[in-house]
Amino acid sequence: MRRPDYDIVILGGGLAGLSLAVRLASVPYLRTLILEPRTTYVRDRTWCYWRLHAHPFGDAVAARWTRWETLHRHARNDVRHTLQDSAALPYEMIPADRLYASAQSTIAAQPHIELCTGTRAGALRELSDRVEVETETGRVEAGIVFDSRPPTARPGALEQIFLGQEIVASEPVFDPGRVTLMDFAVPQQPGAVHFLYVLPTSATTALVEDTWLAPPSAVLPDYRATIRTYLGERFGLADYAVAFEEAGAIPMDTELQAEQAAGRIIKVGAAGGAVKPSSGYAFLATQRMADRLVADLAAGRPIRPVQPRRAVARWMDEVFLTALRLQPEVAPRLFSSLFERCRPAPLVRFLNDVGSASDTARVIAAMPKLPMLAAFAAHLRGQ
Ligand SMILES: Cc1cc2nc3c(=O)[nH]c(=O)nc-3n(C[C@H](O)[C@H](O)[C@H](O)COP(=O)(O)OP(=O)(O)OC[C@H]3O[C@@H](n4cnc5c(N)ncnc54)[C@H](O)[C@@H]3O)c2cc1C
C-alpha cells in the first residue's frame, strides 16, 4: 500500500497544534506537517493557568504567583475581599509570543516536522487508509489529521468577551505578589456579568483585562475607558502607557464539548472541546490532550479518543451556565463563594476538570444553594 505524503497533518499551528508538534519532536519516524494560515507569529494572547502538572513550555513562563484574590460587592454595598494562596499550585502566565518562539525553535531542529505558514486548510476527505486535505496550493495526504481549526459556537451562546491592556505605570502602584482573578466590585449591567482581572508583573507593570460574560448581541461599554476608570479608582493611577493589547471572545458553549470521535480525523484544542465552558480556560486541558494523543502515537497503538472532562463536570458546567444565563446578577456571589469557602487545592483541581469525587463534593458544598437549585430546576426543564 502506498504511504501517504505525511503520517500526521496538523491543521492550525496555534496552541493545540504546536503542543502536539513539540511532543512529536521525540517521535522521529512520524513525518509531520503543520498547516497554518498566519505568516508571522506575534503575541496575540496571554495564557494563564494553575500549574497542576508539567508541560513542555516551562521556558515560556513569564510570571508566577502563589496568591490570588477575588472581590465582590456585598448586599450592604461593602466590598468583600477573598485572598487564597498556594505555594504548591502557582498561577502562571505565558505570553503567546514566548510559547510560539519556544515551539518554533523545537520544530526547526526536527527534520521530520514541517511548519508550513501562509497556508489555509480546506475540505477534508477521509478514506480507508488516509485523509486528503485540500489547501490553497494543492492536496496533501495524511495518515492522521489533527484538526484545531477554530470551532463555531451556537448563535446566541454566552461568550467571555474581553480586552486586556499591559499597563506601564508612571509610579509603583501594583502588588506583584498577588493576582486579582475577578474583581466584580465594578459597575454591572442587566443581562451580563462584569469583572476586571489584574496580573501584575512588577510594581509598575500589569496586564489588566476588562471582561464580560454576555451574549454576543450585548452592547458593552468602552473597554479602554473602563480600564482607565478602574486604574484611577482602585490604584489612584492616571498616568500610564499601554505596551500591549489583546482582545477575545471565547464561546461559553457546552455544545462545543462534543465527544472526540475515533477515526483518522481528530479534533483538538478548542475544536476538540478543550475550552471549559464555565471559565474559558483551555491551556491545561490542551496540554493533557496532547500528552495522551502523542503517547498513543509513540506507542504505535490506535489513538483513543480524549474527552477533556467527565460527564459530571460537563453537567455541572451546563447547570452553572444556566445560572449565569438566567440570573447573571448572582454570578459574582457564585464565583466569590467558591473562593471564599473552598480551599485552593480542591477548587483548582475541580476548575481544571481533574478533581476527585470529594473535590466535587467540597465545591458543591461551597456554592450558594438557592441560585444553584433554581438553575438545576431550569436546566431540567430544558430552559
Ligand atoms: C485573547 C485570548 C486569551 C486567552 N487566555 C487564556 C488563558 O489565560 N488561559 C486559558 O486556559 N485559555 C485562554 N484562552 C483560551 C484558549 O486557551 C485559547 O483560545 C487557545 O489558543 C486555543 O487553542 P487552539 O489551538 O484550540 O486555538 P488557536 O490557538 O486559536 O489555534 C487555532 C489555529 O488554527 C489556525 N487556523 C484557522 N483557520 C485555519 C485553516 N483553515 N487551516 C489551518 N489552520 C487554520 C489559526 O490561525 C490558529 O493558529 C484565551 C483565548 C484568547 C483568544
Side-chain angles (χ1 to χ4, degrees):
M1 202 185 300
R2 190 171 59 81
R3 222 175 149 188
D5 305 329
Y6 293 90
D7 298 300
I8 312 282
V9 172
I10 300 172
L11 312 184
L15 177 65
L18 296 175
S19 297
L20 285 165
V22 296
R23 287 161 172 88
L24 286 165
S26 57
V27 195
Y29 49 87
L30 292 178
R31 294 156 311 144
T32 299
L33 174 70
I34 309 158
L35 298 174
E36 167 57 47
R38 73 183 105 184
T39 48
T40 48
Y41 278 95
V42 293
R43 178 172 177 191
D44 57 355
R45 62 198 65 189
T46 309
W47 288 290
C48 286
Y49 58 87
W50 281 275
R51 195 179 182 101
L52 274 159
H53 48 76
H55 59 72
F57 300 111
D59 59 340
V61 173
R64 178 174 292 131
W65 301 267
T66 55
R67 294 192 297 162
W68 50 88
E69 64 186 353
T70 57
L71 294 91
H72 83 282
R73 213 167 276 288
H74 200 241
R76 289 185 308 277
N77 225 19
D78 54 332
V79 173
R80 192 117 129 212
H81 176 258
T82 304
L83 183 65
Q84 285 200 328
D85 66 284
S86 169
L89 286 175
Y91 194 68
E92 294 187 338
M93 176 173 104
I94 299 185
D97 53 336
R98 291 175 67 129
L99 183 143
Y100 297 145
S102 162
Q104 278 174 297
S105 89
T106 304
I107 292 166
Q110 304 300 328
H112 68 289
I113 307 183
E114 273 173 63
L115 172 58
C116 182
T117 53
T119 308
R120 185 172 291 279
L124 307 180
R125 193 155 82 100
E126 188 169 355
L127 307 174
S128 61
D129 62 339
R130 69 194 61 215
V131 181
E132 290 176 353
V133 182
E134 297 295 341
T135 76
E136 294 135 327
T137 50
R139 182 183 296 166
V140 184
E141 295 169 346
I144 288 175
V145 164
F146 290 114
D147 188 357
S148 77
R149 289 175 295 175
T152 312
R154 280 174 298 175
L158 214 58
E159 287 183 338
Q160 185 177 132
I161 308 163
F162 55 95
L163 181 135
Q165 292 187 321
E166 196 163 87
I167 303 296
V168 181
S170 54
E171 52 188 310
V173 290
F174 301 118
D175 174 1
R178 69 169 72 174
V179 166
T180 302
L181 273 186
M182 288 182 273
D183 184 348
F184 291 107
V186 291
Q188 301 289 334
Q189 80 177 32
V193 183
H194 185 208
F195 63 90
L196 274 96
Y197 175 47
V198 184
L199 297 158
T201 42
S202 76
T204 52
T205 53
L207 180 63
V208 180
E209 305 218 343
D210 184 33
T211 308
W212 290 86
L213 312 182
S217 56
V219 179
L220 303 172
D222 181 73
Y223 306 97
R224 296 176 186 89
T226 302
I227 292 174
R228 176 162 287 284
T229 306
Y230 181 74
L231 290 171
E233 288 179 356
R234 181 161 178 211
F235 299 100
L237 179 67
D239 185 19
Y240 61 88
V242 175
F244 162 77
E245 216 173 74
E246 69 178 29
I250 302 175
M252 303 177 79
D253 185 357
T254 49
E255 292 291 307
L256 295 179
Q257 306 188 98
E259 309 253 308
Q260 209 179 56
R264 292 186 176 276
I265 303 173
I266 294 155
K267 295 207 176 220
V268 292
V275 178
K276 187 165 177 66
S278 57
S279 68
Y281 283 94
F283 184 86
L284 280 189
T286 302
Q287 301 311 310
R288 289 195 295 274
M289 199 179 265
D291 280 339
R292 262 280 310 277
L293 294 169
V294 175
D296 282 350
L297 286 168
R301 54 180 177 246
I303 294 179
R304 294 161 298 162
V306 180
Q307 309 312 339
R309 58 198 62 85
R310 287 194 284 267
V312 63
R314 295 214 297 263
W315 178 82
M316 285 187 71
D317 270 17
E318 282 168 17
V319 174
F320 196 76
L321 286 171
T322 305
L324 293 195
R325 218 166 15 83
L326 299 181
Q327 292 176 277
E329 67 286 356
V330 302
R333 190 152 66 87
L334 278 181
F335 280 108
S336 303
S337 301
L338 295 181
F339 288 93
E340 238 168 58
R341 300 188 198 155
C342 203
R343 285 189 302 105
L347 178 58
V348 166
R349 286 193 297 260
F350 172 83
L351 292 176
N352 286 282
D353 296 316
V354 292
S356 61
S358 87
D359 293 338
T360 305
R362 279 169 211 216
V363 169
I364 291 175
M367 284 176 176
K369 300 291 166 300
L370 279 180
M372 287 314 287
L373 283 172
F376 176 53
H379 184 60
L380 287 182
R381 290 195 300 272
Q383 264 183 292

